[in-house]
Amino acid sequence: ILDSSVSLTKNWQKYSLAGEFRYLDNLLAPSNRLTLQKLPTIDFTAIRQKVPGTPLYLSLDSSFVNFYHEDGIKGQRLDFHPSATVYLPMPAGLEFSAWGGYQQRLYNAYEASAGNPGNGSHGIGLADAGATVSTSFARIYDTDWGTLSRIRHSIVPEVGYNYVQSKGQDTLPFFDYDDRVLGQSMTTWSITNYLVGKFLQGETPPIYRDLLYLRLSQGYQISGSRRDLLTLVPDVEQRLTDLRIEANFTPIKELSLFTDSRFNTYESRFSTAVAGLELIDGKENSATFSYHFSRDNVEYLMGKFETTILKPFVFKSLVRYSVDKGGFLELSPAVEYKQQCWSVELSYHDRPVLGDKGFFINFTMAGIGPLGKLKAF
C-alpha cells in the first residue's frame, strides 16, 4: 500500500477540529479503481464541559467523511454523537459515574452495486448509555530492602455497564464497519493493582517508581452481539468474554516483565497471549524479547534491539521467528542518522513467508523553529 496523506489540526481550550485527505494506492492490485478513499475526513470534538451549578458534563464527537471509489459506491457520512456524563460521590468511598448519548448518522450515497444497497439519502439514530461504580483501597508497607524504604499497594475494583441500542442497518450504505454498529447490553468487572516504591538515596529527594501494574477484567454479554478484533467471538452461546490479564512488573528500573493475554474460561485455555521482557540501560539502548500466541492462527517469538553506542548513529533490528511452522517470519535491520532537528533512516525488510523484500528510506524533520517572520512550529 502506498499511503499519501495531508492533515491539519486546530486545537482550542475546549474544542478540536481536525481534517485529513488520505489517498491509498494498492500496489498489489491490478487496478486501484476498487480501493476505498476518504477525501476528506473532518472531525470536530467538544471535550466534556461542566454545566454550571450541576454535576453534569456535556460533550460532542462528530465527523464528516467523503467516501470515493473509482468503481463502486460513493457518498458522504455525517455523524453526530452528543453525550452527557454525571459524576456523583457515594457513601463508603464509592465513586459513581453514568453517561448517556445519542449517535445520529446521516448518509448520501450513489452508484451502489446490487450487493451494497443504500443509494439515496438515509439516516439512523442509536442511543447508548453506561455507568461505572468503583472504589480504591491503599496501604503503605515499610521495607528495609536497600534503598527501597516504602511500598504503596493500591487496589481499584470497578463494575460497569454498557448499552448500545440494536437496530437493523442492512438497508444503509456500507463503506466500513462504522456503518454497522453492534447493539449490545454488557456488564463488566475489573480489579486493578498498583505497587509504587519510594526510594531514598542520601540527602537527595526521594524517587517514586512504579513496580507493578496488574489488571484483571471480563465482561458478561446480557444481549446483543460483540466484535473483538483480537479474539474470534465463538459461534456457540458464550456470554462471558475472555478474561483479560494485563501486567507490567519492573523490579529494577532497567528490567520490565509484561504480559497482555486473554483466557477463555469456557475452554480453560488461552485465546491470545503476549509475554516478554524489556531491558533498558538509561542511555537509549534497549532490547525486547517477547512471545506471541493466537489460538489456531499464529505462534512466534520476536526480538527488538536498539543501540546508540555510535552516536549520532542508531542501530536497530527486528526479528520474528515462527514457533509453530519454523523459519523466520521477518528480518528487519536498520540504521538511523540523527541530528537535533532531523534524521534519516535506512532499513531493509525481508519477510520470507510472503516472499516480500524491500529497502526503505525514511526522512524526518522536527523542531524547525522560526523561518524569518513566520513561526513554523
Side-chain angles (χ1 to χ4, degrees):
I1 292 291
L2 176 62
D3 185 348
S4 304
S5 64
V6 177
S7 62
L8 180 65
T9 301
K10 172 63 177 178
N11 292 317
W12 295 272
Q13 185 176 2
K14 299 179 180 179
Y15 306 96
S16 176
L17 179 65
E20 181 183 56
F21 285 84
R22 169 165 287 181
Y23 185 82
L24 300 177
D25 189 0
N26 188 346
L27 302 179
L28 296 180
S31 170
N32 203 47
R33 300 182 65 86
L34 295 177
T35 304
L36 177 64
Q37 313 293 347
K38 298 180 179 181
L39 303 169
T41 298
I42 302 174
D43 297 304
F44 176 77
T45 302
I47 65 172
R48 290 177 180 173
Q49 301 177 38
K50 188 174 182 179
V51 179
T54 72
L56 196 66
Y57 291 78
L58 301 180
S59 62
L60 171 68
D61 292 309
S62 61
S63 67
F64 171 83
V65 186
N66 179 57
F67 296 97
Y68 177 78
H69 295 88
E70 290 187 57
D71 291 335
I73 186 172
K74 305 174 180 64
Q76 297 80 38
R77 180 179 69 209
L78 184 61
D79 187 335
F80 287 97
H81 190 184
S83 62
T85 306
V86 62
Y87 301 92
L88 296 175
M90 297 180 66
L94 297 176
E95 296 181 2
F96 173 81
S97 64
W99 60 271
Y102 191 81
Q103 183 192 45
Q104 179 68 51
R105 302 200 311 271
L106 302 174
Y107 293 90
N108 175 48
Y110 49 96
E111 297 187 27
S113 62
N116 190 353
N119 279 333
S121 299
H122 302 268
I124 189 172
L126 299 175
D128 50 15
T132 61
V133 177
S134 65
T135 188
S136 61
F137 306 93
R139 186 172 179 178
I140 297 177
Y141 300 89
D142 294 323
T143 71
D144 56 357
W145 302 336
T147 59
L148 179 60
S149 64
R150 286 186 172 184
I151 294 178
R152 177 187 174 91
H153 181 206
S154 302
I155 301 177
V156 181
E158 181 178 282
V159 178
Y161 173 75
N162 187 67
Y163 168 79
V164 179
Q165 185 180 4
S166 180
K167 280 188 179 181
Q169 302 168 68
D170 293 339
T171 59
L172 298 174
F174 181 75
F175 296 107
D176 55 30
Y177 278 103
D178 288 337
D179 300 316
R180 298 294 183 266
V181 177
L182 297 180
Q184 66 174 213
S185 176
M186 180 178 290
T187 61
T188 59
W189 67 265
S190 68
I191 298 179
T192 308
N193 287 265
Y194 302 92
L195 285 182
V196 180
K198 179 181 180 180
F199 296 84
L200 299 177
Q201 296 179 341
E203 300 298 327
T204 61
I207 297 175
Y208 296 88
R209 182 164 56 83
D210 294 333
L211 302 176
L212 173 68
Y213 168 81
L214 173 62
R215 185 174 189 265
L216 304 178
S217 59
Q218 191 176 33
Y220 179 82
Q221 184 176 317
I222 301 172
S223 62
S225 56
R226 64 184 187 266
R227 183 185 296 131
D228 194 324
L229 298 180
L230 294 179
T231 305
L232 295 177
V233 178
D235 295 329
V236 296
E237 193 71 12
Q238 296 185 2
R239 294 191 177 275
L240 281 173
T241 68
D242 287 350
L243 175 65
R244 186 174 182 182
I245 308 166
E246 304 168 83
N248 193 311
F249 177 48
T250 309
I252 57 176
K253 63 180 180 180
E254 295 84 8
L255 171 65
S256 291
L257 306 174
F258 59 86
T259 186
D260 186 355
S261 304
R262 290 164 172 80
F263 184 80
N264 189 308
T265 54
Y266 291 96
E267 302 176 6
S268 298
R269 63 171 178 171
F270 282 96
S271 300
T272 64
V274 176
L277 62 88
E278 182 179 25
L279 299 170
I280 304 176
D281 68 351
K283 300 178 181 179
E284 300 183 14
N285 300 307
S286 64
T288 303
F289 305 90
S290 56
Y291 168 80
H292 300 253
F293 167 80
S294 180
R295 188 179 65 195
D296 302 327
N297 284 284
V298 69
E299 185 179 10
Y300 67 90
L301 299 172
M302 184 175 73
K304 295 173 64 176
F305 311 92
E306 183 172 325
T307 180
T308 58
I309 193 171
L310 295 177
K311 286 187 175 181
F313 292 96
V314 180
F315 294 91
K316 308 174 184 179
S317 181
L318 170 66
V319 178
R320 292 192 298 134
Y321 181 84
S322 175
V323 176
D324 53 343
K325 297 180 177 61
F328 287 98
L329 298 173
E330 182 176 7
L331 298 168
S332 180
V335 58
E336 181 180 13
Y337 179 78
K338 297 182 70 173
Q339 288 295 328
Q340 185 175 1
C341 61
W342 64 273
S343 69
V344 60
E345 180 181 274
L346 308 179
S347 61
Y348 174 76
H349 297 270
D350 183 6
R351 300 178 177 90
V353 175
L354 301 177
D356 179 18
K357 298 181 180 181
F359 179 76
F360 298 85
I361 301 176
N362 185 60
F363 183 73
T364 303
M365 296 187 69
I368 297 176
L371 302 174
K373 295 182 179 180
L374 173 66
K375 290 187 177 180
F377 294 96

